[in-house]
Amino acid sequence: MDPNQYCQDKAAASGSSFYYSFLFLPQPKRRAIIALYAFCREVDDIVDECNDPYVAQTKLAWWRKEIDDLYRGEPHHPVSQALAPVIRAFDLPAEQLQEIIDGMEMDLTQQRYADFKSLRLYCHRVAGVVGELSAVIFGYTERTTLQYAADLGLAFQLTNIIRDVGEDARRNRIYLPADELARFNVPAADILNARDSDNFRQLMEFQYQRAQQFYTQAFAALPQADRKAQRAGLVMAAIYRTLLEEIRHEGYPVLRQRTALTPLRKLWIAWRTWIKA
């Protein structure tokens, strides 16, 4: 299969909100960002779909070598082949692609986080770095745009964590910091056994407020000169913030269900934001 078509199919099949933020990009940048997204999906799927940690570790090690081969001009996987012209055109560092794998690898060894400081490292690796790479592809003129992109990536990951509390618990993962569970008197067993409570909803409101702070912090760092170039990220933010508000409006039913926006609604938000941004 053509490498770019492979990445396109991978992105479309995921059903992710990210896909909608790419729709209005010019073809070269859309192709580049979809290749980056397909890479993230490949390594993330390894961790989520492999029941044997040793097999997952082996596959991630393969990808580490594949990144080395990619930067030597010898890519083998369709995603790597699609990335080859991207890393040359946008001068993307190999270290950041390896750092994304570092983040995915954390899921194999760490199912709990003591505090937000340790969680933030995970979020930076799996999302903040992706945000920075995306901002480079979209185009920027001022360094603060990269800070905007890193903070926006963290905001997206915190939104994912809120949305996926129940789904993650069924994989024996709790991304809510342990010290915050203790502060709101929510035992880990309540999360793992999907026991809802007023305390749990207060805990989730605290997580909501933190995510919103990162959105606000990100937007404050985005210079006006780069706003048009970064419209795809703003589209993504509009979709994710709408999702976050929906979860809050429903009373944080995240232990038992996964809130999602319809494709039509995502498309409408994407078009409206792209026009206004």
Side-chain angles (χ1 to χ4, degrees), residues 36 39-40 43 63-72 83 87 90-105 121 124-130 132-133:
L36 174 63
F39 164 73
C40 295
V43 292
W63 268 106
R64 287 192 184 282
K65 183 179 182 304
E66 177 70 355
I67 295 303
D68 291 340
D69 290 346
L70 166 62
Y71 279 80
R72 282 197 297 266
L83 274 173
I87 63 171
F90 299 99
D91 196 24
L92 304 184
E95 293 78 13
Q96 286 190 293
L97 295 180
Q98 296 285 8
E99 193 171 6
I100 293 170
I101 298 177
D102 290 342
M104 303 304 177
E105 202 165 39
L121 173 62
H124 172 71
R125 286 175 169 174
V126 301
V129 173
V130 180
E132 291 172 359
L133 291 170

Side-chain angles (χ1 to χ4, degrees), residues 229-249:
Q230 297 294 321
R231 281 186 295 182
L234 296 175
V235 166
M236 191 68 249
I239 293 172
Y240 258 57
R241 290 188 95 178
T242 301
L243 172 66
L244 191 58
E245 292 299 336
E246 192 83 4
I247 293 169
R248 189 191 197 201
H249 178 73

Side-chain angles (χ1 to χ4, degrees), residues 84-141:
V86 177
I87 63 171
R88 291 193 300 269
F90 299 99
D91 196 24
L92 304 184
E95 293 78 13
Q96 286 190 293
L97 295 180
Q98 296 285 8
E99 193 171 6
I100 293 170
I101 298 177
D102 290 342
M104 303 304 177
E105 202 165 39
M106 289 174 73
D107 276 332
L108 300 179
T109 59
Q110 190 168 352
Q111 285 78 42
R112 306 285 188 276
Y113 290 86
D115 50 33
F116 181 64
K117 181 179 179 181
S118 57
L119 178 66
R120 183 169 181 165
L121 173 62
Y122 169 78
C123 292
H124 172 71
R125 286 175 169 174
V126 301
V129 173
V130 180
E132 291 172 359
L133 291 170
S134 299
V136 172
I137 292 172
F138 297 150
Y140 72 100
T141 59

Side-chain angles (χ1 to χ4, degrees), residues 181-254:
L181 266 66
R183 187 190 316 171
F184 287 91
N185 194 25
V186 177
D190 282 6
I191 306 293
L192 296 173
N193 293 294
R195 288 196 288 264
D196 209 343
S197 68
D198 287 339
N199 286 352
F200 174 75
R201 284 183 286 276
Q202 290 171 23
L203 169 67
M204 297 313 295
E205 176 66 17
F206 182 80
Q207 308 303 314
Y208 164 89
Q209 294 295 342
R210 174 188 285 139
Q212 290 288 21
Q213 286 171 10
F214 273 96
Y215 283 113
T216 300
Q217 187 172 305
F219 297 146
L222 178 61
Q224 188 62 36
D226 286 342
R227 185 176 176 86
K228 186 173 182 179
Q230 297 294 321
R231 281 186 295 182
L234 296 175
V235 166
M236 191 68 249
I239 293 172
Y240 258 57
R241 290 188 95 178
T242 301
L243 172 66
L244 191 58
E245 292 299 336
E246 192 83 4
I247 293 169
R248 189 191 197 201
H249 178 73
E250 293 175 354
Y252 303 108
V254 292

